[in-house]
């Protein structure tokens, strides 16, 4: 019973990451003009990992990352990853 209670506490973390990933993906798609199949976002605290083969999209995201972090800070407070990595 204790194990299930402990695991239940971690359910919120997974859903929080999914919400973050969706929000970041939408922002990236808006800024780059790519389709959802051309870019992938994963959140692995404290990193945001963005995978795409489009170099111009990577450049656009990199140059606007401060706007992304500002948007995430406004929406999620301090509970968001603060480093951006590209793959």
């Amino acid at each position: 019973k204790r194990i299930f209670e402990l695991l239940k506490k971690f359910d919120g973390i997974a859903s929080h990451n999914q919400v973050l990933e969706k929000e970041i993906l939408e922002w990236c798609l808006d800024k780059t003009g790519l389709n959802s199949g051309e870019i992938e976002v994963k959140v692995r605290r404290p990193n945001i990992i963005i995978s795409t083969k489009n170099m111009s999209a990577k450049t656009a995201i990199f140059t606007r990352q401060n706007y992304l972090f500002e948007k995430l800070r406004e929406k999620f407070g301090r509970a968001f990853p603060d480093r951006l990595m590209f793959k």
Side-chain angles (χ1 to χ4, degrees), residues 24 27 32 40 69:
I24 295 166
W27 183 87
T32 61
E40 183 181 340
F69 291 142

Side-chain angles (χ1 to χ4, degrees), residues 10-81:
F10 290 102
D11 284 343
I13 293 172
S15 63
H16 181 71
N17 280 352
Q18 291 171 351
V19 170
L20 271 170
E21 287 174 359
K22 182 181 177 214
E23 188 74 26
I24 295 166
L25 179 62
E26 288 174 3
W27 183 87
C28 290
L29 293 175
D30 181 51
K31 298 302 177 196
T32 61
L34 296 176
N35 297 323
S36 60
E38 296 175 298
I39 191 167
E40 183 181 340
V41 175
K42 292 187 182 189
V43 173
R44 301 291 182 258
R45 298 206 184 266
N47 301 321
I48 299 170
I49 303 167
I50 297 177
S51 302
T52 183
K53 292 181 180 182
N54 189 322
M55 199 59 185
S56 63
K58 289 180 183 181
T59 303
I61 293 168
F62 180 76
T63 57
R64 297 178 183 154
Q65 67 181 318
N66 288 335
Y67 297 111
L68 172 63
F69 291 142
E70 184 178 313
K71 180 180 178 179
L72 294 176
R73 188 177 301 115
E74 288 174 6
K75 188 162 186 169
F76 298 103
R78 291 280 180 196
F80 71 92

